[in-house]
Amino acid sequence: MVLASLRGVSFTYAYTEQPALREIDLDLEQGLLYAIVGPNASGKSTLGSLLRGIVPHFHEGELTGTVQVLGKNLLEWDPADLSREIGCVFENPFTQISGIKETVFEEIALGLENLGVAPEQIIERVEQVVAQLEIEALIAKNPNELSGGQRQKVAFASIIAMDADVIVIDEPTSQLDPESSDAVFAIIADLKARGKSIVLIEHKMDLVAQYADRVIALAGGRVVLEGPTLEVLSSPLLVEHDIAQPEVTVLAGMLADAGRPLARVPVTRADAADLLRDRMKGARRADRS
């Protein structure tokens, strides 16, 4: 089933002159992890907000073109109904905490309470999510006193508890250290393994290369590339549009420029390690002969 279909979509925020999105044509399938990448002000967060319905229901502006989400025109969705179908984890974990609950357990349960879920079901579901994310040590703490990494885990727990089939995640590691970033991506990997549809806005290209099924590259509000992760991240068009490539892809380019190209262009560290290992084996065989 199609997750979303966009045809000729442009969006300009109220009180601004330049469109944040320009003539977007996209089809997103369910069950995949899409990564949206691009430089600052390229339209990444706006595209994520559009898929979630935050644009134009909450951020006003001029929307042109057609947006279908889960088989229904975006403008026909009731925002509350769409929020049940598509969860959202924001970039800043400090803004996702409600601020009205005194414990992490209550914070995770808040969304379920708003949906009118029975208390016994709420308790069961929150306990399951807490165990899944291994955050038992946090449940009695005040969510307003947690670190950034801990808050981001609680934000994920709140969304997972609501069991949405689609999750939009906006730069979840931008304010986290490497250890916390790895923990967040372990959660994302688990969601992917459970068949969730994920739209991930992320600037850490090595993580994108490792986890994404397909990549949407934006520049100036336009889609400049969309396709399988290997195909997009290895494309020289990224560099032309000031979009970073994974470190190993840059290294492969430097080797090629030096006349020592690898057998293929890697985008993940694992693939690069395999290619370099094969090269070393070949060099040893050549030395013996």
Side-chain angles (χ1 to χ4, degrees):
M1 182 178 177
V2 175
L3 166 58
S5 179
L6 289 72
R7 291 292 178 269
V9 173
S10 297
F11 181 75
T12 304
Y13 287 100
Y15 312 114
T16 63
E17 296 182 359
Q18 297 298 321
L21 298 176
R22 304 169 185 263
E23 295 296 320
I24 302 290
D25 290 312
L26 280 174
D27 288 308
L28 282 69
E29 301 176 21
Q30 289 200 48
L32 299 179
L33 195 164
Y34 286 86
I36 303 176
V37 303
N40 292 336
S42 60
K44 302 187 300 296
S45 291
T46 301
L47 179 56
S49 295
L50 181 69
L51 296 172
R52 172 61 178 75
I54 296 173
V55 167
H57 290 299
F58 296 100
H59 294 315
E60 296 182 356
E62 181 183 2
L63 177 66
T64 59
T66 303
V67 183
Q68 295 280 331
V69 177
L70 298 175
K72 185 176 179 179
N73 190 296
L74 178 63
L75 299 180
E76 296 175 0
W77 274 101
D78 179 274
D81 292 337
L82 189 57
S83 70
R84 296 185 181 96
E85 301 292 335
I86 302 180
C88 187
V89 178
F90 298 108
E91 174 182 359
N92 187 347
F94 291 88
T95 63
Q96 187 134 359
I97 300 298
S98 69
I100 62 173
K101 295 297 185 180
E102 296 183 356
T103 69
V104 166
F105 193 98
E106 294 172 306
E107 181 71 29
I108 298 171
L110 180 60
L112 297 172
E113 291 177 355
N114 291 336
L115 293 179
V117 177
E120 59 273 13
Q121 289 181 288
I122 292 177
I123 293 172
E124 180 181 359
R125 201 177 299 181
V126 172
E127 287 178 343
Q128 290 174 347
V129 172
V130 165
Q132 177 187 341
L133 300 188
E134 299 180 347
I135 56 174
E136 291 90 345
L138 300 180
I139 60 173
K141 293 186 177 182
N142 188 320
N144 298 302
E145 298 174 355
L146 301 178
S147 68
Q150 290 171 331
R151 287 185 185 222
Q152 196 63 289
K153 286 184 178 182
V154 172
F156 270 96
S158 301
I159 296 302
I160 294 170
M162 298 185 62
D163 202 28
D165 288 330
V166 183
I167 303 175
V168 176
I169 307 171
D170 191 350
E171 298 206 35
T173 66
S174 64
Q175 302 186 49
L176 304 182
D177 58 34
E179 183 178 356
S180 296
S181 296
D182 289 342
V184 164
F185 265 86
I187 297 171
I188 293 172
D190 182 66
L191 291 170
K192 177 182 175 182
R194 291 165 53 202
K196 301 295 184 181
S197 303
I198 301 171
V199 178
L200 171 68
I201 301 160
E202 182 56 68
H203 66 284
K204 295 179 180 176
M205 302 303 284
D206 294 320
L207 293 172
V208 168
Q210 184 176 350
Y211 291 98
D213 296 306
R214 296 181 71 89
V215 174
I216 301 166
L218 298 179
R222 301 182 186 275
V223 175
V224 295
L225 280 171
E226 190 283 324
T229 299
L230 173 60
E231 177 183 313
V232 173
L233 296 188
S234 62
S235 172
L237 283 175
L238 290 187
V239 179
E240 293 180 20
H241 289 283
D242 197 27
I243 303 173
Q245 291 180 303
E247 292 180 355
V248 294
T249 308
V250 175
L251 174 61
M254 295 171 65
L255 289 172
D257 291 342
R260 301 274 294 171
L262 297 174
R264 61 183 180 275
V265 178
V267 298
T268 66
R269 293 179 180 180
D271 192 26
D274 289 342
L275 289 168
L276 291 171
R277 194 176 298 112
D278 289 343
R279 167 170 287 184
M280 292 174 65
K281 289 179 180 178
R284 286 196 292 269
R285 285 195 295 269
D287 288 343
R288 287 196 294 270
S289 63

